[in-house]
Amino acid sequence: MTTPLLLLSLFACADGPSEETLVSDLQVIATVAEPPEVAPGEQVSLRTVVADPQERGAEVLTWLCTPVGGACLEASQPLDQWVHLGASAEDSASLVVSPALGAALTQTDEVAAVAWVLACEPGLCPVVEEARADLEQGVLSPDLGAALSDPVSWMADLPIAGVSLALRTVPVSLRTAEERNANPVLRVTGPEGAVLAEGLESLEVEVEDQDQETTVYGLATAGGFGSPFSAVLGGTALLSYYAPAETVPATLYVVAQDGRGGTAVWTGEAQVR
Amino acid sequence: MRSIRSILLPLLLSLAAPALAEPTLPVLTEAIAAPYPPAALEAGVEANVLLQLAVDAQGAVTEALVVEPAGQGFDEAAKAAALDFRFQPATDADGNPAAASILYRYRFTLARAPIVSAQGLVRSGGLPLQGVRVDAVGPQGQRRTGLSDADGAFRFADLEDGSWRLSLQLDGYGPEVVSLEVREGALQDLSVPLYRVINEELAADDEIVVTAARVAPELTERVISADQIRYLPGTSGDVVKVIQNLPGVGRAPLGIGQLLIRGTAPEDSGYYLGGASLPIVFHFSGLSTVMPGDLLEEVSLLPGSYGVRYGRTLGGVVDLRPKLELPETSGAYASVDLYQAAAFGEYLVGDRGAFTLAGRRSYIDAILNPILGGGEATFQAPRYWDGQARYLVDAGEAGTFDAMLLASNDGFRFVGAEDEVALGLTTSFQKLRLGWTRELGGNWLSTASLLVGPQENTFQIAPAGEAWERTTSANLREELYGPLGPVTLRAGLDLVVADEGFVYDVASFGAREEAQARWVSPAVYVEPSVQLGQIRLAPGLRVDPLSVEGGFRSLAVDPRVGTEWVVGPTTTLKAGTGRYSAHPSLRQIAAEGWDQADLTTARSWQSSAGVTQELTRATSAELTGYANRLSDLIVGREDRFYFFTGPPPSGPLDEGAYANDGTGWAVGLEASVRVETERSVGWLTANLSRSTRVQRPGDEARLFRYDQPLSVTALGSTELPRGWRLGARVRVGSGDPYTPVENRILSLDQRSYLPVFGASDSARLPTFFAADLRVDREWELKRSTLTTYLEVQNATNTQNPEVMGWSFDYAREEPVTGLPILPVFGLRGEI
């Protein structure tokens, strides 16, 4: 009986908000790369949106690291060209993709640089303190170099609460600007002002994307969306937001991703009454 | 107790018969001397026992009733002896042999009390055997006959000097012949082991002829007869699931049918049907075995240190031994329970053959699919079926032949809106088994079997890909067993020829893999065993080469030795040690490049020692310690697609190339007490074990994923008056190890979390507890029997975490618990 029961549970569904859409602790929501596809040695702007529902504050450490032989390929550059420390819900970092990635490319190839984002409550993450010290001095210490090339090695020592580590890839190619992928453009018509407790609100999502293969993801710091993701059909999607029973402020996030690195994010506020 | 009328009526009829047409009464032609009860002999007590004997038309005693008991052991001794009497049959008015009843008074007098000049003990597996017939032939051809008593003892008085040959025979055991020299009346003391046989039957000349294979006299062999299994609680009467309750067998997670034997993985143990390797033994999730227990004589578990007839395994062996005895009558049954229906029919063909037809199908899908259907996509619940057809022929001196077709098919599907299979899994096999067992003369026995046919696993997931494994194999075995000078020799061939192929092409599991090759593995083995006084020593050697098309070669040479020492009337010590090897799989060889593959056999060196002690006539105890050193284990490529029957592994995967890099230890202690009476059977087992692995050289040793330091099982079933039977099972055991998740990383590309694991298998699930109850009620109807049962699994509704799971973001542990309380109702009608 075990297998059938397990399988049945996989395909069961129920009304109400999906647990996966509720953000109850510090969490990286999305990192938008501009441009979303770069050439070797090119600068990329990484804008990270962080949710902080507990409002304890967050430091955001962003770095590019394509690991090769136990070190980051980008480590040959000046430290502030591949590591950035910020402290806001929407932090932007301008970093440079390693020019050494060009050696692995031909005109048709594409490789990926890896962007890491660590959002951390102040004082919880030693690697943030190490990065702060090294950035102030402008010199990469061996400890920080090793830590940034292998985040898994220290993540096991950090608490789950108050820490959010995320990664995304940044496609690297020799394509011309016209041939490159572009970020989608996202417009959301959502609940304006107050929403009723336990009420159901609809968010109309419009997406402009050259591939037209975009998926949108809904997230909220209170309540939740009916489904963790929805496919965009004909440039639009409809998301269902379930307000919580409590009268609290809620931050809603909609993230659009085209599967090739193109990302757009929308943030909205709602007061549940 | 029969009424006096029912006793006297046949007697009066038989006495009245001569006056009508001069028929004749049975005439005693061969009397068996009953052993004098030792206590009565010592006390100088004499006695008479009046028996009523039913003698059939062949002159055999079919029933012996004590009409006038004498007590003090006389009744049992007289009755046992009388059942072996031979008569010239009674005749009816036409002079034809006819059945009849007579009264017979058996006299025990001190004048007949023997002056013992030879005595001995007969045992099997260290336990005494009662009722063994001992035929003694003297130097001038003089004949004497005796029977062993409840202590397994037999005695002969006043044997003439010279060489005597003693033949020992008992139903279900192989005949044994021993010689002894009698000199001037000096007492000769013997100890004779008898080994079980699957079947033996009386031939027309009243000689016992072995018609089936003798089962290996393994050192640690735990056998359960198929008849006992039907009523045991918590197993739904399934033949192989009962094995999970025996010493040396761990508890499988989620109640599935995996066998975890002595700290080894399920895939390390082998399953056999009469010695030939079976591809699978369980339908999905271990609901039931792929063939009905009614086709089996017994199920044997060999947890370790077994002989050379089994190979290509690192762990234990489970051998399903087919029933090779013709049924007494034709019969059939049908049964239904919560999830399956089964039918079984057995028909006598003349007096030498029997045809059996059986089948079973689950109907979970029939119930669930209509409920689940109607949407855009349909989940089709798992379903399975199996079927068997068998013809068994007793060809007299030519031996016993049996031919069996058996097939099994399991599957489930998730069907999309366009009727395409979105997700599907099937596993199936079709096999033909041929068996031929014959006596060659000189007390040599030949057992041959062939198991041939295809087997297949398939997996589909749209649009990500497909995977399948197909193998057509033939397993030919021939074994010779018999005396050769002072030794008893076992020698055999275990040949496997296979055409095997696979495709693994599932997008999320990396690059497509594909291979097709023929391979052959012609293993030979020899095991001479010698009896040195009270000690039996059985060294053996198994040589098992593998040759794969494409150039890969592998060779296993496995020496093993076992010994058994009968220390006293109720105590036997056993010990064994030896090497066991398993060849690399075709996939492992193909992945590393055919003839370049630097892979060799994985090995284990198993050692064990134990003691068997009879506590009372109905109670025995066993204590066994073992150590299993594993080396050259093939590890790597854990990130690839695999067909598996259990929960997927947790923890970081070894993605390196396949290599013989793994090592490990499994050590443990097994204790059991077993009680078996006419009405009840039960046992208490406790396993203490520790199993560790080192994945790659330089890695730290970690707990094996199925390590279970402690498991205790108490199980019992007893027959009550008026057709009732009651059973219960209680299990307590350590939870399995698992790898904890310490943190997580959010992949923004995939919008999913990746776990950051802690040390491998460094955490353990909570202690497991479950109690199961079973009650059966049987109604005897005119020509049929109706049985119903209610089995309540997990009667205490304990929520046992069985497999660790996590929330979608790895922030919380969310263990998968076993079944809640589950009542299963079953019905069986038999004619």
Side-chain angles (χ1 to χ4, degrees):
Chain A
M1 281 303 285
T2 308
T3 296
L5 290 176
L6 287 176
L7 290 169
L8 279 176
S9 67
L10 285 178
F11 297 104
C13 58
D15 289 336
S18 164
E19 183 195 10
E20 295 179 41
T21 66
L22 174 63
V23 181
S24 57
D25 194 17
L26 185 69
Q27 182 182 321
V28 174
I29 298 296
T31 296
V32 179
E34 186 59 53
E37 184 176 342
V38 295
E42 188 178 354
Q43 181 172 291
V44 60
S45 169
L46 296 168
R47 181 172 65 90
T48 295
V49 177
V50 176
D52 182 17
Q54 307 290 334
E55 296 183 344
R56 295 195 184 109
E59 294 179 297
V60 181
L61 180 66
T62 306
W63 71 101
L64 285 171
C65 181
T66 307
V68 175
C72 297
L73 199 58
E74 289 77 5
S76 58
Q77 304 174 118
L79 186 58
D80 60 357
Q81 287 192 11
W82 63 285
V83 180
H84 170 82
L85 181 60
S88 73
E90 276 200 36
D91 183 64
S92 287
S94 290
L95 304 177
V96 177
V97 170
S98 171
L101 284 169
L105 287 174
T106 68
Q107 288 295 327
T108 54
D109 277 341
E110 179 181 300
V111 295
V114 181
W116 291 88
V117 181
L118 173 67
C120 194
E121 282 182 23
L124 281 185
C125 301
V127 69
V128 170
E129 302 309 320
E130 290 175 30
R132 191 192 323 276
D134 282 14
L135 283 166
E136 285 173 1
Q137 295 180 9
V139 178
L140 175 68
S141 65
D143 286 352
L144 182 64
L148 296 184
S149 67
D150 186 14
V152 174
S153 64
W154 43 265
M155 269 303 282
D157 300 327
L158 297 183
I160 286 181
V163 176
S164 176
L165 177 65
L167 68 85
R168 61 154 294 169
T169 54
V170 178
V172 180
S173 73
L174 298 178
R175 285 189 279 265
T176 63
E178 292 73 29
E179 294 171 328
R180 288 179 184 171
N181 188 27
N183 282 319
V185 177
L186 179 64
R187 282 185 293 277
V188 178
T189 306
E192 295 177 359
V195 297
L196 290 176
E198 296 188 271
L200 176 63
E201 298 284 341
S202 293
L203 277 71
E204 292 178 23
V205 180
E206 289 181 61
V207 179
E208 287 179 26
D209 181 52
Q210 61 190 43
D211 300 325
Q212 296 190 341
E213 292 181 0
T214 310
T215 304
V216 291
Y217 303 85
L219 298 157
T221 57
F225 286 85
S227 172
F229 61 89
S230 296
V232 176
L233 301 172
T236 63
L238 199 62
L239 300 182
S240 300
Y241 171 67
Y242 292 83
E246 307 83 31
T247 56
V248 293
T251 305
L252 310 185
Y253 304 93
V254 176
V255 180
Q257 292 188 187
D258 66 4
R260 296 174 51 208
T263 305
V265 59
W266 171 88
T267 304
E269 301 292 336
Q271 180 62 47
V272 181
R273 291 183 179 161
Chain B
M1 181 69 75
R2 288 189 171 194
S3 69
I4 193 71
R5 182 181 171 194
S6 67
I7 293 173
L8 292 179
L9 189 59
L11 178 65
L12 292 172
L13 287 175
S14 65
L15 290 175
L20 298 175
E22 295 187 354
T24 63
L25 283 171
V27 176
L28 184 63
T29 58
E30 186 176 346
I32 303 294
Y36 212 100
L41 179 62
E42 200 170 307
V45 176
E46 296 185 340
N48 294 330
V49 179
L50 184 61
L51 301 166
Q52 183 198 0
L53 307 181
V55 182
D56 66 15
Q58 284 74 46
V61 178
T62 57
E63 190 175 25
L65 295 172
V66 177
V67 180
E68 290 179 5
Q72 301 184 67
F74 288 113
D75 304 336
E76 294 80 5
K79 183 176 173 179
L83 283 170
D84 275 6
F85 284 6
R86 294 295 300 182
F87 287 84
Q88 178 181 314
T91 54
D92 61 16
D94 297 325
N96 297 319
S101 289
I102 62 166
L103 288 176
Y104 184 90
R105 188 175 297 280
Y106 201 105
R107 299 175 189 280
F108 291 86
T109 62
L110 287 172
R112 294 183 59 197
I115 301 169
V116 176
S117 58
Q119 65 183 21
L121 290 172
V122 195
R123 290 189 184 82
S124 178
L127 300 176
L129 285 178
Q130 184 180 11
V132 177
R133 174 179 167 139
V134 186
D135 291 308
V137 180
Q140 280 79 48
Q142 59 270 51
R143 290 179 175 272
R144 304 283 291 277
T145 300
L147 284 174
S148 66
D149 61 16
D151 297 323
F154 64 86
R155 300 169 184 83
F156 289 101
D158 302 328
L159 297 180
E160 292 88 348
D161 287 355
S163 298
W164 286 76
R165 195 174 70 102
L166 271 56
S167 302
L168 295 91
Q169 300 167 348
L170 178 66
D171 281 353
Y173 294 82
E176 195 68 40
V177 177
V178 294
S179 299
L180 76 160
E181 286 292 317
V182 177
R183 292 284 176 265
E184 298 176 349
L187 178 65
Q188 303 294 313
D189 216 346
L190 302 168
S191 180
V192 187
L194 283 193
Y195 301 123
R196 296 179 64 85
V197 300
I198 288 177
N199 175 32
E200 58 184 22
E201 68 177 34
L202 290 173
D205 61 359
D206 200 16
E207 289 290 325
I208 290 180
V209 177
V210 175
T211 56
R214 260 174 272 206
V215 174
E218 301 289 351
L219 285 167
T220 309
E221 181 175 23
R222 286 149 192 168
V223 176
I224 301 181
S225 76
D227 290 340
Q228 287 178 341
I229 286 166
R230 193 190 302 171
Y231 303 105
L232 294 178
T235 62
S236 299
D238 186 80
V239 287
V240 181
K241 290 186 86 171
V242 173
I243 291 285
Q244 293 176 317
N245 298 289
L246 294 180
V249 183
R251 175 181 46 79
L254 295 168
I256 59 178
Q258 291 178 321
L259 284 178
L260 310 173
I261 300 176
R262 285 190 176 172
T264 57
E267 57 270 22
D268 290 337
S269 293
Y271 303 96
Y272 296 85
L273 175 62
S277 180
L278 262 184
I280 61 169
V281 291
F282 282 114
H283 289 299
F284 270 135
S285 17
L287 278 177
S288 62
T289 309
V290 295
M291 61 188 304
D294 302 84
L295 277 169
L296 303 176
E297 176 70 27
E298 61 188 19
V299 179
S300 174
L301 167 68
L302 304 166
S305 300
Y306 42 87
V308 291
R309 68 199 311 245
Y310 299 102
R312 307 184 186 101
T313 53
L314 302 178
V317 160
V318 174
D319 199 356
L320 314 181
R321 293 176 178 152
K323 198 175 276 184
L324 293 177
E325 188 175 1
L326 290 175
E328 291 181 1
T329 60
S330 298
Y333 73 78
S335 68
V336 292
D337 61 27
L338 183 68
Y339 46 81
Q340 67 178 15
F344 179 93
E346 201 168 40
Y347 306 96
L348 279 171
V349 181
D351 57 358
R352 289 284 185 178
F355 180 70
T356 305
L357 197 61
R360 169 170 39 191
R361 193 195 191 283
S362 68
Y363 38 66
I364 300 168
D365 57 329
I367 297 170
L368 290 182
N369 288 344
I371 299 170
L372 297 170
E376 290 186 346
T378 308
F379 170 66
Q380 297 190 351
R383 58 103 189 94
Y384 60 80
W385 62 263
D386 63 64
Q388 303 81 28
R390 189 176 84 143
Y391 192 61
L392 176 66
V393 180
D394 174 7
E397 291 185 357
T400 301
F401 300 90
D402 80 298
M404 187 193 307
L405 281 168
L406 58 159
S408 170
N409 187 294
D410 296 22
F412 79 84
R413 294 190 300 173
F414 186 75
V415 180
E418 305 295 322
D419 279 345
E420 83 283 4
V421 176
L423 179 68
L425 179 67
T426 62
T427 180
S428 63
F429 70 78
Q430 302 86 41
K431 298 284 183 184
L432 168 66
R433 181 185 187 276
L434 301 173
W436 180 24
T437 302
R438 65 200 188 281
E439 199 174 22
L440 301 176
N443 212 21
W444 276 82
L445 194 73
S446 162
T447 308
S449 69
L450 173 69
L451 188 71
V452 59
Q455 62 207 54
E456 180 182 63
N457 295 321
T458 67
F459 175 75
Q460 286 174 274
I461 182 165
E466 61 163 356
W468 54 258
E469 299 168 336
R470 293 183 190 123
T471 302
T472 299
S473 63
N475 186 182
L476 174 68
R477 293 188 69 111
E478 165 66 37
E479 181 174 292
L480 299 172
Y481 181 74
L484 189 67
V487 306
T488 302
L489 189 70
R490 178 193 309 283
L493 168 72
D494 176 8
L495 169 68
V496 181
V497 180
D499 185 355
E500 182 178 347
F502 62 80
V503 166
Y504 306 109
D505 188 11
V506 181
S508 55
F509 288 90
R512 174 187 173 95
E513 292 178 80
E514 183 176 11
Q516 180 87 30
R518 295 187 186 88
W519 56 266
V520 58
S521 177
V524 292
Y525 58 87
V526 60
E527 185 183 83
S529 93
V530 291
Q531 189 75 36
L532 305 167
Q534 307 299 313
I535 297 174
R536 181 172 69 89
L537 192 64
L541 183 70
R542 180 182 175 97
V543 178
D544 195 342
L546 171 71
S547 175
V548 183
E549 186 183 33
F552 182 83
R553 302 282 183 274
S554 175
L555 176 65
V557 179
D558 293 341
R560 302 171 195 173
V561 63
T563 184
E564 180 183 72
W565 180 17
V566 181
V567 179
T570 58
T571 309
T572 303
L573 300 178
K574 301 172 181 178
T577 187
R579 191 159 76 178
Y580 300 77
S581 304
H583 295 295
S585 70
L586 183 67
R587 183 186 201 182
Q588 292 163 342
I589 298 166
E592 305 310 327
W594 300 110
D595 55 338
Q596 292 91 30
D598 188 24
L599 293 174
T600 183
T601 54
R603 296 188 175 93
S604 67
W605 191 281
Q606 301 184 9
S607 302
S608 66
V611 57
T612 302
Q613 177 70 46
E614 188 196 6
L615 304 173
T616 69
R617 285 187 62 184
T619 310
S620 60
E622 183 184 325
L623 182 69
T624 303
Y626 66 87
N628 190 353
R629 167 66 175 156
L630 298 146
S631 60
D632 294 326
L633 300 176
I634 300 176
V635 296
R637 312 281 192 189
E638 290 176 345
D639 53 328
R640 297 189 173 189
F641 176 88
Y642 281 93
F643 286 95
F644 60 88
T645 56
S650 66
L653 302 176
D654 181 344
E655 299 177 12
Y658 291 119
N660 289 93
D661 280 350
T663 56
W665 274 100
V667 295
L669 198 62
E670 302 157 1
S672 69
V673 178
R674 184 177 173 123
V675 180
E676 189 168 348
T677 67
E678 200 170 308
R679 291 181 173 274
S680 304
V681 61
W683 60 84
L684 172 69
T685 67
N687 297 321
L688 297 171
S689 77
R690 182 174 176 82
S691 183
T692 57
R693 297 288 184 278
V694 175
Q695 183 78 3
R696 302 275 185 176
D699 290 355
E700 287 186 4
R702 58 180 172 82
L703 290 177
F704 181 50
R705 60 182 294 214
Y706 295 111
D707 176 65
Q708 294 177 0
L710 174 67
S711 67
V712 178
T713 301
L715 184 150
S717 175
T718 188
E719 192 180 329
L720 302 173
R722 298 177 185 170
W724 290 91
R725 179 176 277 274
L726 193 63
R729 178 179 70 163
V730 175
R731 291 176 295 157
V732 181
S734 316
D736 286 341
Y738 71 94
T739 302
V741 172
E742 304 289 359
N743 216 315
R744 67 270 171 83
I745 296 171
L746 174 61
S747 165
L748 294 171
D749 294 337
Q750 306 296 326
R751 304 295 312 182
S752 63
Y753 285 90
L754 309 170
V756 175
F757 289 106
S760 292
D761 295 311
S762 58
R764 189 177 287 283
L765 290 164
T767 299
F768 174 92
F769 173 85
D772 311 299
L773 301 172
R774 179 174 169 126
V775 58
D776 292 73
R777 174 72 163 94
E778 188 174 288
W779 287 272
E780 290 284 354
L781 306 175
K782 272 189 177 178
R783 294 183 56 199
S784 61
T785 305
L786 184 66
T787 308
T788 63
Y789 74 85
L790 176 66
E791 185 170 280
V792 184
Q793 297 181 10
N794 191 12
T796 55
N797 197 27
T798 308
Q799 298 294 303
N800 286 302
E802 300 253 37
V803 177
M804 183 51 72
W806 287 268
S807 59
F808 74 95
D809 58 356
Y810 292 95
R812 297 184 309 279
E813 290 188 336
E814 293 181 350
V816 178
T817 56
L819 285 176
I821 183 170
L822 178 68
V824 178
F825 178 76
L827 187 66
R828 174 178 163 130
E830 195 169 349
I831 57 171

